[in-house]
Amino acid sequence: MSRTTATVAASLPDHWEQLVTTALLGTDRRTPPGVAPGPQTPSDLLDAAAAATVRRRAGLCPARPAERLRPAPEDPRPPLPPAAARRLAALLADRPGASGGGRRGAAPDLMELLPQWLQAANARGYAAPPQALPALLDAARGRTDLRPAALRFAGPRALWLARLNPDWRFALRAAPGGGPSAPDLRDPQGIRRLWQEGLFAERVTLLTALRSRDAATARALLEETWATERAEDRLMFLDSLRAGLAPDDETFLERALADRSRNVRETAAGLLSALPASALAARMAARAAACVAVDRTRDVPTIVVEAPHECDAAMERDGVVAKAPAGRGERSWWLGQLVEAAPLGTWPGRLGGRPPEEIVALPVADGWQGELHAAWCRAAVRQRDAAWSRALLGEPSAPEAGGPGAVSLAERARLLAALDAGERAAWVAGFIETHGLSEAFQLLGVCAVPWAPPLGRAVVDALNIARDAGSYPWSFSGVMGLAERCLDPSEASRLDALLAIPDEPEDAAPGAGSYWSEAFQRLVTTLRLRGAMLAELAPEEPAP
């Protein structure tokens, strides 16, 4: 660097923006600071810019030393077996194809197997390999359905990483205790301080975690600040009481019935109606019983309905919504809410001592059957009453089970959730054997995985029948996708006979045979892959 350049570089401050502006405007319109105008000004500007560039690239402003990053916490869980760790890496490396549609081919969809892999790994208590954590967090970021299982498997190191990368901050919100100021639940002072001073999300997380540990303490904490909370916050806090709901919550919920927010009142009423011994449930039972009776003067005992003629203030206070939706009659709307909120134990005594299955079988006069049975369905789901759910479901082989009927398929799917896994699978298997697969998709979605053998056999047999009949194959793609994830892997050997391309009937969809063959190949390959995944996660036996 020349003496002139050094002099200019030393005299000019490193104002990069000023140098850029001067260069854009030209030295004839603006003179760089510290430089006298003249013929040398353009050269002096370039020298100053060169010196500033060097300083910008090589210089470092002094800064206060940052606190040394604390090491990631240890994960005390046992490590994955090597084969399972390699399988996880392959599952995380797989990405959906970019074709955007079309036939899937015979290759398994690895990303659809990741949720099952995570569930199995969590059940066995394994720790995630540290090198897999970034990819695991990226996968959970893109798929919210993966987050609970992925964060549980990732463990404390994932939260440590999430605090260093803004893209993974969702983990801090989703994981209990993920917030930086979350206290030990055994620290009463820390709990109270966070409840009084914390952000809304932190307070919701705290209340939910505390509710699972000590329901009474969580409720007492909520009662302290209830009057000063915003309406939308009260609604979220109140919803946390669903976990561990008990008769001890009734007094607080009764007070919430007088809340100035309609949404809060409705939520409180819904919670109280889930407590069969509550005062609200008794009030609703009295109202509903006054509307429904048995007429014994007819040749066949018949249920008669007299829907409410008005919705008074007391009914509104107990959660009945007065204004009916568009297209609904007011009286049927009020009746449905009363019957839904009444304890199901009300009806045997009111309707002649009959058990649920006999009550459901009674004819209902004047076209009220659909409204009455639908309300009983909602009550059975809310109260998780297996006897009433079983009665409302009826026999799976009955003609009305396939619809249309008093109970829709969507309602039947919700009722099935109240039954144990074995009974649920048996009912759906009977439904498929009688009515086929066309209406069974939403029923299959509530069955436990892997499907019980009778259900698995019913699904495979129905698919085989559809294949031999030359049915339009693409209409069964949803059921086939469920089968890939839900059939027991041991069923793979039974499916080998279905891999060949069948002869296509004259009225079959063009190309249906090759599609069916391809779909069954993918099903068999996926089942064997799932079986291998589970075997890889089995604990290694010590060498003798």
Side-chain angles (χ1 to χ4, degrees), residues 342-363:
L344 290 164
T346 302
W347 302 111
R350 175 62 176 163
L351 302 178
R354 294 176 172 85
E357 59 270 16
E358 291 185 17
I359 292 174
V360 171
L362 288 173

Side-chain angles (χ1 to χ4, degrees), residues 225-238:
T225 60
W226 180 257
T228 61
E229 303 288 355
R230 299 183 306 165
E232 55 268 33
D233 294 355
R234 292 199 304 276
L235 183 62
M236 290 291 293
F237 293 145
L238 193 63

Side-chain angles (χ1 to χ4, degrees), residues 70-243:
R70 295 181 180 180
E74 292 294 327
D75 194 331
R77 296 173 297 177
L80 277 174
R86 290 192 294 271
R87 179 73 65 187
L88 173 62
L91 294 176
L92 291 173
D94 187 68
R95 289 291 182 270
S99 61
R103 292 170 65 156
R104 289 175 50 196
D109 187 342
L110 298 186
M111 278 300 291
E112 289 304 315
L113 296 180
L114 183 57
Q116 282 193 19
W117 190 96
L118 290 170
Q119 182 182 13
N122 285 330
R124 290 163 174 78
Y126 287 121
Q131 66 273 18
L133 289 177
L136 188 61
L137 286 169
D138 281 340
R141 180 192 177 202
R143 284 183 55 176
T144 56
D145 62 307
L146 281 178
R147 289 182 184 180
L151 293 178
R152 179 183 169 193
F153 177 63
R157 289 172 174 166
L159 300 182
W160 182 86
L161 277 176
R163 294 188 180 100
L164 303 177
N165 185 346
D167 289 344
W168 299 333
R169 291 294 172 87
F170 70 88
L172 303 179
R173 299 188 297 269
S181 57
D184 188 332
L185 292 181
R186 297 166 295 182
D187 176 13
Q189 292 183 348
I191 288 174
R192 186 170 299 279
R193 183 169 57 252
L194 181 56
W195 179 251
Q196 293 174 349
E197 302 174 4
L199 299 174
F200 172 69
E202 293 173 324
R203 298 175 76 209
V204 170
T205 299
L206 171 66
L207 191 65
T208 303
L210 189 59
R211 181 74 178 176
S212 64
R213 289 276 195 92
D214 188 343
T217 300
R219 185 182 61 251
L221 202 66
L222 182 56
E223 287 181 292
E224 286 181 9
T225 60
W226 180 257
T228 61
E229 303 288 355
R230 299 183 306 165
E232 55 268 33
D233 294 355
R234 292 199 304 276
L235 183 62
M236 290 291 293
F237 293 145
L238 193 63
D239 197 62
S240 70
L241 298 186
R242 295 184 190 278

